[in-house]
Amino acid sequence: MDNLLSITDLSVNEIDELIDKASDIIKNPDDYREKCRYKKLATLFFEPSTRTRLSFETAMLDLGGSVVGFSEAQASSAAKGESVADTVRTVGCYVDIIAMRHPKEGAPLVASMHAGVPIINAGDGGHNHPTQTLTDLLTIKTEKGRLTNMTIGLCGDLKFGRTVHSLIEAMSRYEGINFVLISPDELKLPNYVKQETLDKKGIKYEEIKDLAEAMPKLDILYMTRVQRERFFNEEDYIRLKDSYILTPDKLAFGKADLTVMHPLPRVNEISVAVDDDPRAAYFRQVKNGKFIRMALIMKLLGIS
């Protein structure tokens, strides 16, 4: 594997290997402090990011490498009209690997054709965000001890959420997975995802509008934000928005070993009163993002 542009670039075996490597990094961090010594990562972020950019940077620093890059397009020659191809071809002369976020879908694919070094897609528009999906898989494996035989509830914006679509694509490759899709009609999972992934693979799923009704059956609850701008009228948004806010009252219906996840940033879809519940795993999920990116950087650089 030369690049990571989509989660489908990875086989199940490769995903499992990355998760095993990340788990070993968590247990034995000192063994990895010098693994990328003298290696350089460029973070080319053409749109803003907090977690993803800092996660890549700390991952490389914790491996003993160094980091260069920019955090917005205006800080680069893109502001002068330079093409993505020319930017990465230039940066590829200075570094060993590039993590790139871009608002245009397909930009990392273009970059991979010109860079001369491995490209990691750190998010391209509404298209792909494979390292978030790897983070999610590591979190599920760490919290549950497995990636098989569980019921996963996906709640909120299932229509536009790239993290949701990628997680369905990844988890549907494991045995015994059921999905409960919790959303208003306006934000239901697109038919093409149901047909091309769930139906084609015979994955069991049900669609529910009420979060509290779904809670008792879930092993994982993956929350996303219901955005006002996705609704055709304000009345529908006001009527539905509180249905998809996770509160301690709703969490009371969940299993004792439920795991609550969220790709972040959150606005108000999870009450801060939930944060201290041991089932709330979203900040542990953030931490896992660094470890899985450490494993991925090593894999792409061919470092054992």
Side-chain angles (χ1 to χ4, degrees), residues 11 21 32 46 54 61 75 77 82 85 99 106 112 123 128 149 163 177-178 182 193 214 230 237 240 245-246:
S11 68
K21 179 66 69 180
Y32 294 86
F46 292 85
L54 294 180
L61 293 170
S77 289
E82 183 175 54
S112 71
N128 277 302
N149 302 310
T163 57
I177 300 299
N178 303 316
I182 310 151
V193 179
R230 303 299 192 192
Y237 173 74
L240 289 165
I245 295 175
L246 182 63

Side-chain angles (χ1 to χ4, degrees), residues 1 34 37 45 47 68 81 107 126 128 167 175 186 192 213 221 241-242 247 253 290:
M1 183 182 66
E34 301 289 318
R37 195 178 183 191
F45 277 62
E47 62 178 6
V68 297
N128 277 302
L167 187 60
E175 290 182 7
E186 292 87 345
Y192 76 87
E213 179 189 341
L221 172 61
K241 66 181 178 69
D242 290 341
T247 61
F253 292 101
K290 181 184 76 168

Side-chain angles (χ1 to χ4, degrees), residues 96-135:
D96 302 286
I97 188 168
I98 295 171
M100 175 180 167
R101 169 167 287 187
H102 201 283
K104 289 186 180 175
E105 297 179 4
L109 174 60
V110 172
S112 71
M113 298 171 181
H114 299 278
V117 299
I119 294 284
I120 302 173
N121 180 2
D124 60 332
H127 195 217
N128 277 302
H129 194 357
T131 60
Q132 178 64 54
T133 307
L134 287 172
T135 298

Side-chain angles (χ1 to χ4, degrees), residues 32-51:
Y32 294 86
R33 297 262 182 242
E34 301 289 318
K35 287 289 187 182
C36 287
R37 195 178 183 191
Y38 305 124
K39 299 292 186 181
K40 297 182 188 71
L41 164 75
T43 51
L44 308 187
F45 277 62
F46 292 85
E47 62 178 6
S49 166
T50 302
R51 273 155 299 279

